[in-house]
Amino acid sequence: MKTAKIVPIFKSGNTADINNYRPISLISMFGKVIEKIIANKLISFLEENYLLCKNQFGFRTSHSTTHPMMLLLNKLTSALNKIKHSLIMFCDLKKAFDTCDHDILLLKMYNIGIRNNELLWFKNYLTG
């Protein structure tokens, strides 16, 4: 299930620059189904236990890229109406998951209540 074919997909820019490609993992249909089931269960657990920030918009049902934009516009308009200053900082988290320390992630999962076989499954999936 953890075996995948890695295919480089061109993003933009110079086709000769390797940094302009992103890797896509092609896994078996069985692996895809298992991933989807686990993802749905994990999201349900996080939402039922109110473990997601209300401003977590990515990868959630009924949330889209327009939601954070509307939130930003509302905050800016409110500040402007109150004659206050606003500061916006954008951070491109390119390859964010690649830089995530898996031990810290697993510890956080343990701390929110993901334990036993479920935690072992994630640990196994993230290693090797």
Side-chain angles (χ1 to χ4, degrees):
M1 187 170 76
K2 291 174 20 174
T3 302
K5 178 180 179 183
I6 310 300
V7 178
I9 302 294
F10 179 68
K11 293 186 295 185
S12 64
N14 182 357
T15 56
D17 185 357
I18 197 163
N19 293 316
N20 292 331
Y21 291 82
R22 64 184 170 113
I24 299 294
S25 299
L26 302 177
I27 63 173
S28 70
M29 283 301 273
F30 177 72
K32 275 283 194 202
V33 170
I34 294 295
E35 278 186 1
K36 192 68 173 171
I37 291 169
I38 297 296
N40 288 340
K41 292 286 187 184
L42 181 60
I43 293 294
S44 293
F45 172 80
L46 295 172
E47 288 180 348
E48 288 168 10
N49 292 287
Y50 303 99
L51 295 168
L52 293 175
C53 171
K54 67 177 184 169
N55 293 330
Q56 168 67 43
F57 300 106
F59 307 103
R60 293 182 70 189
T61 305
S62 302
H63 291 76
S64 72
T65 55
T66 57
H67 288 103
M69 289 189 304
M70 292 303 295
L71 179 66
L72 174 64
L73 287 174
N74 287 338
K75 297 261 185 200
L76 290 174
T77 304
S78 176
L80 186 62
N81 289 338
K82 295 175 184 174
I83 311 172
K84 292 187 173 187
H85 295 284
S86 297
L87 174 68
I88 302 171
M89 180 171 51
F90 295 96
C91 183
D92 181 8
L93 299 176
K94 189 188 316 184
K95 301 180 183 177
F97 190 76
D98 294 341
T99 62
C100 175
D101 184 300
H102 292 166
D103 291 330
I104 294 172
L105 177 62
L106 292 167
L107 179 61
K108 287 182 180 259
M109 292 174 82
Y110 178 85
N111 289 337
I112 64 169
I114 299 170
R115 308 233 166 94
N116 304 320
N117 288 336
E118 292 80 8
L119 188 63
L120 289 173
W121 186 89
F122 280 105
K123 183 176 183 176
N124 179 278
Y125 198 79
L126 291 170
T127 55

